[in-house]
Amino acid sequence: MDFTPTEEQSAVRELAGQIFGDLSTHERLAAAGTGTDAELWKALCGAGLVAAVEEVGLLGLVLALEEQGRTTAQVPFAASCVYGVLALTAHGTAEQHERLLPALREGGAVATGAFPASGGRVRATAEGEVTGIVPLVPWLRDATHVLVPDEERRLWLVRVADAEAEAVETTAPWSAGRLTLDGTRAERVGGAEAYEDVLATARTAFAGLQAGVCAGSLARAVQHTTTREQFGRPLSTNQGVLLRAADAYMDTEAIRVTSYEAAWRRDEGLPYGTHALTAAWWASEAGTRVVHAGQHLHGGLGADLEHPVHRHFLWGRQLDAHLGCGGELLAELGELIAAEKLAEKAEGRPPAERADKGEGVGA
């Protein structure tokens, strides 16, 4: 495996870092409150970063999302790219590509997803009418379209204007909402394999976002502890502080490398279901540890709701909730690995041979 970014992927990361660094400042975030920064979203789309995802793949998106996470920029970048651009590129029809992708690339349309699916909440008829309630959909208040899995894990694309969306406030400012569907017209996206692929893609992308959130939190903690003095010396010279920061750094790197691996495997057409779950588990478990450490290393300032580090804490906890708690992810990972072993044994083929053939998202 080779995680070295291509020239195009590096360019996307650098451009994203520049835009987020210039526009997602503490002052602008404070002014935006819990809403989306419309000017920042316009700048991202105008620079071609959303459209570029089709070319640079999931790894390129993960690199860009790291830059978003560093500044906790309030835009639906991950949601629209994963549930819109990448989902339709991989599973949409030629007609859907022509009709929907141009607006998504330019930012005139915004997609989000009601993921992961919760059994029995949404039902769909053969005629394409969906009914059910999804209590929490991230970025729903910004979205024009939402990708909804039904109880049979078929994917349906719904126009938000045709449904009922009610604002819901979450830990982090994600412009979330409650989606109510009542015989709402929807169009099918992809076949039987589409749900697992989109879910694995989303887990990988949001793990990359969590890596950036953690890196930003740690960077603020390092800056604080190297400049704040106690008893005539910087806090960073305290061994306890050094060890806590070192642990946070290693956790952040674990989130980053597992999300890179899952993204790279998807881009290469290799099975990546277990790798996406691994990245999500690290993002959930280790991500929570890192943002807690970031707050604790700020001492009393970490309890200040208006301090920038507090946003990283809120985002880290919200991403933990969105990805699924560590225990649930670990149980799902164990079941998937067990299913793989049984399939390999039944087919009489070693794991390496199955991986070489790239069979299935989680195979």
Side-chain angles (χ1 to χ4, degrees), residues 236-255:
S236 59
T237 60
N238 184 295
Q239 188 177 36
V241 171
L242 289 171
L243 292 173
R244 191 78 187 275
D247 286 342
Y249 173 79
M250 294 305 297
D251 275 338
T252 301
E253 288 301 296
I255 301 170

Side-chain angles (χ1 to χ4, degrees), residues 23-108:
L23 296 182
S24 186
T25 62
H26 173 58
E27 293 73 22
R28 286 177 61 87
L29 287 168
T34 60
T36 293
D37 189 331
E39 183 180 342
L40 175 55
W41 179 240
K42 183 178 179 180
L44 287 172
C45 296
L49 284 175
V50 176
V53 171
E54 294 175 72
E55 299 297 326
V56 299
L58 183 54
L59 181 55
L61 175 60
V62 165
L63 293 172
L65 288 174
E66 275 193 81
E67 301 304 321
Q68 179 186 359
R70 291 179 195 275
T71 61
T72 60
Q74 293 172 197
V75 286
F77 189 33
S80 198
C81 287
V82 168
Y83 301 121
V85 176
L86 290 180
L88 288 172
T89 300
H91 303 289
T93 64
E95 188 276 333
Q96 288 173 327
H97 289 177
E98 183 178 355
R99 174 167 49 90
L100 298 168
L101 284 177
L104 287 168
R105 295 177 187 127
E106 298 167 3

